[in-house]
Amino acid sequence: MTDTLTGPAGQHAEQTPEYPMARADRCPFDPPPALSGLQDQGPLTKVRIWDGSTPWMVTRYADQRALLVDPRVSADTRHENFPHQSESLKARREMGRTFINMDDPEHARLRRMVTGPFAIKRVETMRPAIQRIVDDLIDGMLAGPKPADLVQAFALPVPSMVICELLGVPYEDHDFFQTRSRVLISRKSATDVVLTAQREVIDYLDELVGRKLAEPADDLLSKLAAEQVATGELTRRELANMGFLLLVAGHETTANMIALGTLALLENPDQLAILRESRDPKLIAGAVEELLRYLHIVHSARRRVALEDIEVGGQTIRAGEAIMLPGEIANRDAEVFTDPDRLDVTRDARRHVAFGFGPHQCLGQPLARVELQVVYSTLYRRIPTLKLATDVDRVPFKHDGLVYGVYELPVSW
Amino acid sequence: MRVTVDQDKCVGSGQCVLAAERVFDQRDEDGIVVLLDAEPSADQHDDVRQAALVCPALAIELAE
């Protein structure tokens, strides 16, 4: 096999960097240097992904935001040039389709069915319940053996219990959907394993929606079953797909922010001390924004296709070309954030794009924020001696994940 | 300062409520923006500018 011309204008294969890139040793919180380096080279460059295709990489904060809100850009994964994250994600592009992979107006119609429960004031009413969940889990961890794995004992159960309560999914079934969601967010999972995992969770939710139709409870799936399925706006399967999106999205992201965030704070003890000693909700909220900016755990680039020719930084993305927008380097753009590679919990980081931008910006962000505010304001105050129970170099990082974080975090106190 | 919002563009992220809760609210049924105060007092202006900056749908327009 020989390298042939694959990019436009005779761009040679060997000149096009491969994506994803490797992170540097001893810099587990920073984006890969080769990825950050693209930002210095210019606003727009090509990278080569797993299937040999060469999508555009948009490197800067301002351009990423402008494109993510641009109606000439599509999130539809069925487009023939869509830059899929892996073979298995390409294989399941038709399965479990939800608004996350649709464009307006279809996207807006479906998304608006579920935005009400995630409104700021509605989510705020969940804060006492979230505080109770966090306190109980800390009690349990303190009563158990040392060292403990913070991921299993705390970081994963917090969002899992919260999203189960909101949706009305029985938490007793958490092993079932947690093992499957772990498969789904690994870049390395085999295609048939991924397809099976997704089908099993959707089947489970489909059956659960059936039960909610028959015996409604005070939860989101019951509400959507009554308002959308019973009225014919959605099929049962469509609601199961939507439930799948909320369940999986609600798990791994927040869990990784809790565990990786804690590790980042343990490695920056001056910053941890600020959080531990503060009783100011504004400072805590600001620290959450800064950790979201700094870690931007979705390390897989947002992906789109141009529907028309679009100018970016003096170059043209042609209609039909694929676009990748890695938010982790947008959040480190020195044009926007001073000294961007420094974790500073007192800075104003609210402009970050950790939740994305544009119509597809994370639906669950108000819930994630409250969960993280409760966690960061409680965990280090209640366990002031919390420490890493291994060497940081021995922590297993999720280098193969679509969502970055740690598989385990042994801690003691 | 005069504030206008576009409810068709709005995606219900609630970022405006977080930034300036005296000026913006959300509809109960679908979280879409409700403008509480189209001419906020000067002490609100920084918060309103922040809201316009972080609105993911660019649905807030300011005339100053």
Side-chain angles (χ1 to χ4, degrees):
Chain A
M1 214 166 74
T2 53
D3 272 335
T4 49
L5 301 180
T6 49
Q11 194 170 28
H12 284 278
E14 60 268 27
Q15 294 170 329
T16 309
E18 299 271 343
Y19 179 92
M21 291 95 164
R23 289 182 191 85
D25 291 343
R26 302 189 169 268
C27 298
F29 307 116
D30 293 337
L35 181 61
S36 302
L38 296 180
Q39 205 169 53
D40 304 326
Q41 288 169 32
L44 204 57
T45 183
K46 290 254 175 175
V47 293
R48 182 176 310 282
I49 61 173
W50 64 276
D51 63 355
S53 67
T54 53
W56 289 107
M57 182 70 92
V58 182
T59 66
R60 294 182 184 163
Y61 174 92
D63 294 325
Q64 285 196 19
R65 272 188 25 144
L67 282 169
L68 286 169
V69 76
D70 193 323
R72 296 172 297 173
V73 165
S74 170
D76 193 336
T77 43
R78 295 173 308 179
H79 196 290
E80 60 176 345
N81 291 345
F82 191 88
H84 296 278
Q85 280 154 335
S86 63
E87 189 164 5
S88 67
L89 271 151
K90 184 178 184 182
R92 66 186 177 105
R93 67 191 177 281
E94 293 285 357
M95 187 198 266
R97 239 171 86 73
T98 58
F99 52 84
I100 199 172
N101 298 126
M102 296 176 186
D103 298 326
D104 286 338
E106 198 186 8
H107 159 267
R109 181 182 81 84
L110 294 169
R111 179 174 163 128
R112 283 184 180 202
M113 291 178 185
V114 283
T115 38
F118 291 98
I120 300 296
K121 287 175 185 168
R122 291 272 280 283
V123 169
E124 196 55 47
T125 64
M126 296 174 70
R127 189 182 291 265
I130 295 171
Q131 183 71 56
R132 219 163 27 242
I133 286 170
V134 166
D135 279 324
D136 289 350
L137 286 165
I138 293 173
D139 288 341
M141 197 166 82
L142 288 173
K146 291 193 270 188
D149 174 13
L150 191 82
V151 174
Q152 289 302 326
F154 185 73
L156 197 53
V158 170
S160 189
M161 287 177 172
V162 172
I163 196 70
C164 283
E165 186 160 319
L166 178 74
L167 287 175
V169 172
Y171 184 69
E172 308 86 85
D173 297 337
H174 68 275
D175 276 343
F176 167 76
F177 46 76
Q178 280 173 5
T179 48
R180 283 152 188 84
S181 76
R182 218 166 296 144
V183 166
L184 290 166
I185 64 153
S186 172
R187 204 180 269 126
K188 300 242 169 90
S189 300
T191 301
D192 57 335
V193 177
V194 168
L195 289 174
T196 303
Q198 178 159 348
R199 191 173 301 114
E200 284 171 352
V201 180
I202 294 175
D203 284 346
Y204 165 87
L205 288 166
D206 194 323
E207 201 219 303
L208 186 61
V209 170
R211 275 188 273 151
K212 303 282 182 191
L213 277 167
E215 292 171 53
D218 183 19
D219 57 53
L220 183 53
L221 283 181
S222 295
K223 178 178 143 64
L224 290 168
E227 288 175 6
Q228 311 294 349
V229 178
T231 58
E233 287 291 312
L234 286 181
T235 65
R236 217 170 104 166
R237 198 69 180 174
E238 282 171 327
L239 178 52
N241 288 342
M242 215 183 256
F244 171 81
L245 171 67
L246 299 177
L247 187 63
V248 174
H251 261 89
E252 290 289 340
T253 45
T254 310
N256 284 310
M257 271 305 298
I258 293 172
L260 191 65
T262 297
L263 181 57
L265 288 165
L266 289 170
E267 292 294 298
N268 289 272
D270 56 325
Q271 300 297 306
L272 178 58
I274 296 171
L275 266 182
R276 190 171 46 219
E277 275 138 43
S278 174
R279 294 285 184 281
D280 177 6
K282 271 206 142 137
L283 186 139
I284 300 291
V288 167
E289 301 308 313
E290 169 64 351
L291 281 153
L292 286 163
R293 179 197 73 83
Y294 182 69
L295 297 173
H296 192 291
I297 45 149
V298 182
H299 280 219
S300 42
R302 298 189 170 89
R303 314 221 172 188
R304 300 290 189 269
V305 174
L307 298 176
E308 297 174 29
D309 290 0
I310 303 172
E311 293 280 328
V312 175
Q315 283 175 279
T316 304
I317 300 175
R318 297 283 172 205
E321 288 185 331
I323 309 171
M324 310 225 301
L325 310 107
E328 65 269 39
I329 59 170
N331 276 359
R332 303 289 186 102
D333 189 335
E335 293 281 318
V336 183
F337 300 102
T338 309
D339 200 0
D341 294 328
R342 196 161 61 88
L343 176 67
D344 173 4
V345 297
T346 63
R347 81 160 85 211
D348 181 357
R350 290 177 294 172
R351 279 167 297 169
H352 68 75
V353 289
F355 293 117
F357 200 72
H360 291 282
Q361 194 184 51
C362 176
L363 172 72
Q365 58 177 306
L367 185 59
R369 283 195 164 97
V370 172
E371 289 179 46
L372 294 173
Q373 287 165 9
V374 171
V375 164
Y376 294 153
S377 66
T378 308
L379 180 62
Y380 320 121
R381 184 171 49 78
R382 286 205 51 200
I383 317 182
T385 55
L386 189 75
K387 60 178 190 229
L388 194 58
T390 185
D391 191 80
V392 67
D393 293 334
R394 302 185 64 141
V395 173
F397 288 94
K398 294 182 175 176
H399 291 300
D400 61 338
L402 299 170
V403 181
Y404 186 53
V406 292
Y407 285 107
E408 275 173 44
L409 191 66
V411 292
S412 194
W413 50 88
Chain B
M1 174 188 279
R2 183 150 190 91
V3 185
T4 49
V5 295
D6 186 335
Q7 291 184 323
D8 292 332
K9 275 191 186 171
C10 175
V11 296
S13 77
Q15 299 259 24
C16 53
V17 181
L18 278 182
E21 61 176 356
R22 282 159 60 190
V23 178
F24 304 99
D25 200 356
Q26 289 172 281
R27 290 199 299 233
D28 273 347
E29 65 273 24
D30 57 8
I32 297 304
V33 63
V34 175
L35 186 59
L36 299 176
D37 185 356
E39 291 182 31
S41 55
D43 63 324
Q44 295 290 303
H45 288 186
D46 280 350
D47 289 345
V48 173
R49 284 186 204 106
Q50 173 68 23
L53 178 72
V54 296
C55 172
L58 306 181
I60 301 170
E61 292 228 27
L62 306 181
E64 299 200 51

